Amino acid sequence: MMSSQLIAILVLGGMFVVATMLPINIGILALVASFVVGTFVFGFEDKEIFEGFPVSLFITVVGVTYLFSVAKLNGTIDLLVQGGIRLVRGRAILVPWVLFLVAATLTALGTFTPAAVALLVPIGMSFAFTYRISPLMIGMMVICGAHAGAFSPMAVSGALVYGIVAKSGLTISHATLFFASLGFNLLLAAVTYVMLRRRGEESFDDRPAVDDAPSGGSAPAGGGVATEVRPTTRTVTWHQRATLVALVGLVVGALAFHLQIGFLALAAGAVLALLDRANLGKAVEGISWPTILLVAGMVTYVGVLEHSGTIDWVAHGAVGLGAPLLVALVLCVIVGVTSAFASSTAILTATIPMAIPLLLTGSLPVAGVVAAMAISTTIVDVSPFSTNGALVLANARGVDRNRFYRQVISYTCVIVALGPIAAWAVLVLPGSF
């Protein structure tokens, strides 16, 4: 008789097949599957099924997209884009690297990765739309930057991993984990930049880019990427000044006081919208409801898988394979695939302890295995089912949503398929000989 866990995995695969072949939001399928599988396969009560619903992620995406919808309507986003142009002396194509460095600095200093991405992605996506730079490239480079600094001793993920390893009696150098993640994500960002920098125009739909372009900033006509643009001088309205103050307050609240960024963004957006009565009703239209539905449904279903023990069932099956090198590889792949649909922090907490018995044998390099698993868990957060990927999908402007979703999924599949293997090959394999 087929096990309940195997049925749940097959249902997950079936959802992807159906959503690929038919124009239906996979979040709807996932919510239905959460109820059917949770109730009839695992015998869960409704309350147990709802436990997996990502409330924090829901608030974050709603709040951030609402606030930046208000900022777009009153012209503040244009001001920020122009500021970016001045920062790189008119070379628009360098902005992705500025965003990478800012994201890395924020997370290295202790900002939670999704918070850094939430702050930077809306600005980057507006910039991509205005100057016909690939939104996929900009979004992925922001995420790479956030991951590059995510394992410093001051970062949330770094402190978590160091603590887990220390409890086992093993040791790992802070510098080893930090620079391994920094180097890996820097390389990934460079490859992404090279591969996608010339693919800006084809990412957008057929609408002209200039409806949002700052007057005088030369968005390219008829194709190509604007690599040289001239910032314009424009009058700043009191609405825009208020919005800039609100954005600074958002940064301070999230970074200095560790307040929930979604609630902060909702509060700031509501106040600004009330001050701008002309656009009050339009701001809600900027909330990315399809993305929210997609992410909420998938994360809820993965929550059912976690609560039922399906994730542990797969992980323990991998540990039982025997050969240490092979086990390390399989663990990297499993955490990578799982983290594409679930919280990276939760996956790190659950899976690194599984590798401790293997590391205590002394047959594999401790730092290499831990770093490889940490990197495998985080680099797949480009997935549209994770907070970071969802923010990229939700804030993309001027794109065909279905086509952009397929682009993000394709990029994610490449990262999930190759990233964990590359991390294992670079960090674990050499130290085992």
Side-chain angles (χ1 to χ4, degrees):
M1 183 176 179
M2 188 178 297
S3 71
S4 299
Q5 285 83 5
L6 183 56
I7 292 174
I9 295 295
L10 292 175
V11 169
L12 176 63
M15 285 191 290
F16 279 102
V17 173
V18 173
T20 301
M21 298 177 64
L22 300 174
I24 184 172
N25 190 308
I26 195 173
I28 295 176
L29 299 178
L31 287 172
V32 173
S34 298
F35 169 73
V36 173
V37 174
T39 302
F40 299 106
V41 176
F42 295 117
F44 292 161
E45 299 291 334
D46 291 352
K47 181 180 179 180
E48 295 175 288
I49 296 173
F50 289 140
E51 284 177 358
F53 186 86
V55 177
S56 178
L57 188 153
F58 175 88
I59 295 297
T60 297
V61 177
V62 170
V64 169
T65 54
Y66 179 68
L67 173 59
F68 280 89
S69 175
V70 174
K72 174 180 176 292
L73 289 169
N74 67 26
T76 306
I77 293 297
D78 285 350
L79 290 177
L80 294 173
V81 169
Q82 286 296 301
I85 287 293
R86 292 187 179 92
L87 187 63
V88 294
R89 301 178 182 273
R91 296 185 62 82
I93 200 62
L94 295 181
V95 168
W97 285 111
V98 174
L99 294 171
F100 175 93
L101 291 173
V102 172
T105 301
L106 288 175
T107 54
L109 293 176
T111 305
F112 196 40
T113 302
V117 174
L119 291 170
L120 296 175
V121 159
I123 297 171
M125 286 299 168
S126 294
F127 193 94
F129 173 75
T130 302
Y131 294 106
R132 282 310 200 247
I133 298 173
S134 168
L136 180 64
M137 183 258 286
I138 281 192
M140 297 305 114
M141 287 189 66
V142 169
I143 296 176
C144 285
H147 290 155
F151 288 99
S152 80
M154 293 179 287
V156 176
S157 298
L160 174 67
V161 172
Y162 299 134
I164 293 173
V165 174
K167 286 181 181 179
S168 69
L170 297 170
T171 58
I172 179 174
S173 165
H174 289 192
T176 299
L177 182 57
F178 172 65
F179 284 110
S181 180
L182 176 64
F184 201 93
N185 282 284
L186 180 62
L187 178 60
L188 179 57
V191 172
T192 300
Y193 181 82
V194 170
M195 297 298 293
L196 299 179
R197 62 173 297 189
R198 297 297 182 185
R199 297 185 61 183
E201 192 71 22
E202 67 188 61
S203 298
F204 298 93
D205 60 23
D206 295 330
R207 290 174 293 174
V210 268
D211 74 46
D212 290 272
S215 57
S218 51
V225 175
T227 57
E228 292 273 351
V229 291
R230 286 178 293 183
T232 60
T233 302
R234 62 189 329 180
T235 303
V236 181
T237 68
W238 73 269
H239 284 123
Q240 293 166 347
R241 290 191 183 96
T243 303
L244 291 172
V245 170
L247 292 177
V248 171
L250 182 70
V251 173
V252 172
L255 273 57
F257 298 99
H258 305 289
L259 299 176
Q260 213 284 339
I261 194 169
F263 283 119
L264 290 177
L266 276 174
V271 171
L272 293 170
L274 289 170
L275 294 175
D276 186 8
R277 297 292 184 89
N279 294 315
L280 181 59
K282 299 177 184 178
V284 177
E285 299 173 6
I287 299 175
S288 185
W289 297 112
T291 302
I292 292 166
L293 177 61
L294 180 150
V295 174
M298 286 303 300
V299 174
T300 300
Y301 186 74
V302 171
V304 170
L305 297 184
E306 291 179 335
H307 189 61
S308 65
T310 302
I311 303 298
D312 286 342
W313 176 71
V314 174
H316 285 296
V319 173
L321 291 175
L325 263 180
L326 180 59
V327 172
L329 173 60
V330 174
L331 283 175
C332 287
V333 172
I334 287 176
V335 298
V337 172
T338 307
S339 187
F341 300 94
S343 164
S344 296
T345 304
I347 297 301
L348 278 172
T349 304
T351 56
I352 287 184
M354 293 182 185
I356 297 300
L358 179 68
L359 297 176
L360 288 172
T361 65
S363 57
L364 293 175
V366 174
V369 172
V370 172
M373 290 184 67
I375 290 170
S376 299
T377 305
T378 53
I379 60 169
V380 298
D381 281 350
V382 295
S383 162
F385 311 122
S386 68
T387 303
N388 295 338
L391 287 166
V392 170
L393 194 62
N395 286 282
R397 295 173 52 195
V399 298
D400 179 304
R401 289 287 171 180
N402 290 329
R403 181 170 63 180
F404 189 64
Y405 170 72
R406 290 194 296 270
Q407 290 174 348
V408 175
I409 283 290
S410 298
Y411 183 93
T412 301
C413 288
V414 172
I415 298 301
V416 171
L418 301 180
I421 297 174
W424 173 84
V426 171
L427 297 169
V428 180
L429 192 58
S432 63
F433 297 110

